[in-house]
């Protein structure tokens, strides 16, 4: 005999916040380094684009 089907119930807003906070506390260092890496790449790309733009504008 197979088990009865699971009923999926949406989480309440408090449960979502609690799970997100627990996840962030558990993985803070990894998420911080990942965020830092993305921001650093974004900063470098923005600076390079600005430099190229100024170079083509003749400044």
């Amino acid at each position: 005999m197979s088990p009865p089907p699971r009923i999926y119930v949406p989480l309440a807003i408090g449960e979502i916040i609690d799970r997100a906070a627990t996840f962030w506390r558990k993985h803070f260092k990894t998420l911080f380094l990942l965020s830092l890496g993305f921001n650093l790449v974004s900063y470098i790309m923005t600076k390079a684009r600005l430099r190229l733009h100024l170079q083509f504008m003749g400044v």
Side-chain angles (χ1 to χ4, degrees), residues 29-48:
K29 184 178 178 183
T30 305
L31 292 170
F32 176 76
L33 292 174
L34 187 62
S35 173
L36 187 66
F38 276 113
N39 285 326
L40 182 61
V41 169
S42 175
Y43 175 77
I44 291 169
M45 290 175 67
T46 301
K47 283 299 218 178

Side-chain angles (χ1 to χ4, degrees), residues 9-26:
V9 179
L11 298 174
I13 191 70
E15 292 173 309
I16 294 171
I17 292 170
D18 184 49
R19 286 185 182 197
T22 302
F23 182 81
W24 269 96
R25 277 194 307 260
K26 196 178 287 187

